[in-house]
Amino acid sequence: MKAIRLPESEKPIPGLSVSTNQGLLQWISSVDHKQIGIMYLWLSVLFLVMGGCEILLVRLQLVVPNNDFLDPEVFNQLFTMHGTTMIFFVAMPAIFGFNTYLVPLMIGANDMAYPRLNAFSFWLTFFGGLMLYFSFLAGGAPDAGWFNYAPLNQYNYSSSPGIDYYCSSLLIAGIGTVSASANFIVTILKYRVGTMSLKHMPLFVWMVLINSFLILAAFPALNAALAMLLLDRQLHAHFFTAIGGGSAILWQHLFWLFGHPEVYIVILPIFGIFSEIFPVYSRKPIFGYNFIIGSGMAIALLAFGVWIHHMFATGLGNTVNGFFAASSMLIGIPTGVKIFNWLATMYGGAIRFKVAMMFAVAFLVEFTIGGLSGISFAIIPIDWQLTDTYYVVAHLHYVFIGGTLFGLLSGLFYWFPKISGRIPDERLSKWFFWLFVISFNLTFLVQHALGAMGMARRVYTYPDFAGWGTLNLISTTGGFLMGISIGLLVYILVKAIRKGVQAPADPWDASTLEWTTSSPPELKNFDQVIPVNSTRPFRDFKRPDDAD
C-alpha cells in the first residue's frame, strides 16, 4: 500500500509563548487541506454578503424610473464591484474550498501534494480580495464593469486608482488560482491511493483535474491583459489606446479568451458535484460514467473556441462571426450529454428528496433556462438585437446562479455533515430552498422581458416607459427576498455548527472514500484505505455480496 502523507503537526513559534494549535493562529498558520478548504468557504461567504449588499443598493436605485437614490459614479462602482466580487471572490473561492477540502479525501490521501503552496494560494486569494476593497479607501473603486472594457479602463475615462487596484488584486488572486491548480493536478495524478486507477476515480475529482488544466490554459490571457493595462495606465504604454497605435478591441480578445472559459471553470467542478449527488440520492450508479468524463474534456477544449460570441457587435466580419456562432452552438452538445446522464441516473431510482437533491433537481430546470437563452446569443441577428440589454443580465445569472450557486448549495448541504460533524435543520433548510428558488426566479425571469423591451444594462436610471417600472419593481423585490434567504442560510449554518445533531461518518449511505472516515475527519484523514475496485468503493465495502 502506498504511504499516506500526514499534514504538518502544530509547532511552537520561536520566541513566542504560543503554539500554532491555539485559537485563530491555528487557522492562520495551518497547512492542513481541510482547514484551508473551510477558510476558502468562509471567505466566499464574506464576499457574498459584501457583493450582495452592493447589488441591493443598485436594485434600490432601479426600483422606480428616474430615481436619484445613487449618483452615477457610485452606481458604476457598485455594479462593477458586485460583478468582480461575485466572479473572482465568491464563485472561485467557494469552488476551491470544495476542491481543497474534498480532493485528498476522495482519492485516499492525507493532504495535498504541496501543503505550503496550498496555504500560499489561499492567502494570495485573501489578500487579492482585500486589495480590491481597499480601493474604496484609496480614492475610488473600479467603475468600468467586471470585464473592464477599453477605453473605459484608460486614465482619460477613469482617473481614480480603482482600475489599478482591479488589475493588481486580480493579478495577485490569479497567481494563487494558477498555483492551486498545479497543486491539484500533481495531487490527483501522484497521490491517489494505490488501488485507485483513473477509470475508478470519482467524477468530482475528474472534473477538478480537467478544470485545473483549463485554468492553466486560460488565466495567462487574463494576467497578460492586466499587466498590459497597468503598463498603459502607469507608463503610457498604449496597448489598448488607438492614439498610440494600440487597440481597444485587443482588450476584449484577451479578456474573453479568458472570460468565456471562466464560465466553464466555475461550472465544471459543479458538474462533478452533481455527478456525486444524483447517484447517492437516487440509489443507483451514475449513468454514462465515461460519457461524463468525455463531455467534460470536450467542454474544456471547446471553451476556447467561443469567445468571439461576446464580440459579434464589434464588426469582426461575417466569416469570423459565422465560425464562432457554430462553435458556440456546438458546446451545447456536451453540456446536454451531462443533463441526459443525470436524468437517466434518476430514472427508475429510489429518489430521496433531501435538500441537496432538491437543489440538484432545481439546477436542471434553472441551468437549462440559462443554457437555452445562451444559445440565442449564438444566433448573430438575435445577439445584435439583445446584446448589452437586460436579457444578457438574465442569461448570465441563470448560468452563474442557476448553475454554479445552485451546485455550490447542493454540495454544501451534501458535505456539510462531513465538514462540520453536524446535520443542519432539515425543515429550515427546505424553507431556505423554496425562498431562494422563488426569489431567484422573481428577480431574473422578468429581466428577459426587460431586455427584449430594449432596456440597456449598466444604466444609472431609465425613463418611465410602459411596463419598465413594474418589471423593475418585481426584480428589486425578488432581489431583497434573495438577500433575506442568504441571511436565513447563514443562520442555518451557524445554528447547525453550535447545536446541530451529531453527524455519523456516513449519513447518506454514500459510495466514495471521504465517507469512510469520521465526521469531521481527524488531522490524519486515513490510517488505512479500503480497496478501490470500482467507482463506488465504499458501497462495495458495505455490500460485498452485491459489489459493482
Side-chain angles (χ1 to χ4, degrees), residues 410-428:
S410 182
L412 179 65
F413 281 99
Y414 180 59
W415 279 296
F416 188 83
K418 177 58 59 183
I419 295 172
S420 69
R422 304 285 178 174
I423 295 180
D425 185 310
E426 184 75 4
R427 184 180 63 85
L428 272 180

Side-chain angles (χ1 to χ4, degrees), residues 26-42:
Q26 181 192 28
W27 291 86
I28 294 174
S29 63
S30 178
V31 294
D32 175 37
H33 75 97
K34 298 181 291 296
Q35 286 185 307
I36 294 171
I38 291 171
M39 288 194 290
Y40 266 122
L41 293 174
W42 278 116

